[in-house]
Amino acid sequence: ADLNRTYPDHCMFHRGGFGQELLQRVLRAYGLAHPSFGYTQGMNFIAAMFLSYMPARDAFYVLTRVMDSSPWNLQSIFSDSTPMVPQLWFQFDALLKKYARRIHSHFERENVMPSMYVTKWFVTLFTRDFGFDLVVRIWDIFLHQGWKVIHRVALVLLKMHEKELLAMNMEEILYFIRDLPKRNGGLDPDVVLMAAHKIPLKTKELNDLEADWKRQNGGV
């Protein structure tokens, strides 16, 4: 069912196109190779992105690597218990408080929690709703550096719209963030990534926040 929802506007993945057949093969192969894990919704966008750049065999191996290995560990997002998702909320909340304090304070007043707006961004690592030209550049960096760029981009997407967000209530904020990827004709990858790299977030900071999360949750 997810095949028809995966990049329907991309020339490879039109209904019944050859890209859908390749995507089905890659996802089925991953499920067969990991019978205790299988397929979970959201993996389709990541696998399809790989297929747009490489043969199906290579896409399968790259998908396997980012799912099963550090520093990516995407199985922790897609498994039934999603152990990494609340950790990502915890990390992002701390980073928002540090790097965008006014937004963080306003969101707290409006009871807007990270779980309400960054989950879709983080679970599919921007592949679902954002423009392909931005997604593939984020992923180039993600494959090289790990999770740091994902948090940086999420922070910048909010900081770029700080003035508008500070004037909104809870409902308006959530609608605004939902539509943000396509707002004003889409996001300029150069602008987003140049701003993201100005945020002085270090991998050690993420690792320290991960350790804090685990201490607070009994080492889970």
Side-chain angles (χ1 to χ4, degrees), residues 83-117:
M84 194 175 187
V85 174
Q87 173 195 305
L88 291 170
W89 297 337
F90 174 83
Q91 289 172 308
F92 187 75
D93 187 62
L95 296 174
L96 187 66
K97 185 174 183 178
K98 178 176 180 179
Y99 294 107
R101 182 174 292 275
R102 293 180 67 198
I103 297 176
H104 183 271
S105 296
H106 182 62
F107 280 13
E108 279 200 326
R109 286 193 296 270
E110 294 296 327
N111 294 312
V112 177
M113 302 294 105
S115 60
M116 301 165 69
Y117 62 92

Side-chain angles (χ1 to χ4, degrees), residues 92 96 100 103 107 117-118 120-122 125-126 129-131 134-135 138 149-165 176-183 186-189 191-193 195-196 199:
F92 187 75
L96 187 66
I103 297 176
F107 280 13
Y117 62 92
V118 296
K120 189 162 64 170
W121 292 357
F122 284 179
L125 294 97
F126 300 109
D129 296 317
F130 289 79
L134 174 60
V135 168
I138 292 173
V149 68
I150 304 300
H151 287 280
R152 277 177 163 170
V153 169
L155 288 167
V156 160
L157 292 176
L158 299 181
K159 286 169 68 68
M160 288 172 64
H161 300 90
E162 178 172 341
K163 184 177 180 180
E164 299 101 306
L165 290 168
F176 184 91
I177 292 175
R178 183 198 65 184
D179 297 335
L180 191 154
K182 308 300 182 186
R183 189 172 294 276
L187 297 159
D188 185 323
V191 172
V192 171
L193 291 172
I199 296 177

Side-chain angles (χ1 to χ4, degrees), residues 45-60:
F45 291 99
I46 296 171
M49 179 191 59
F50 292 149
L51 280 169
S52 70
Y53 278 86
M54 62 190 74
R57 180 185 178 91
D58 293 342
F60 166 76

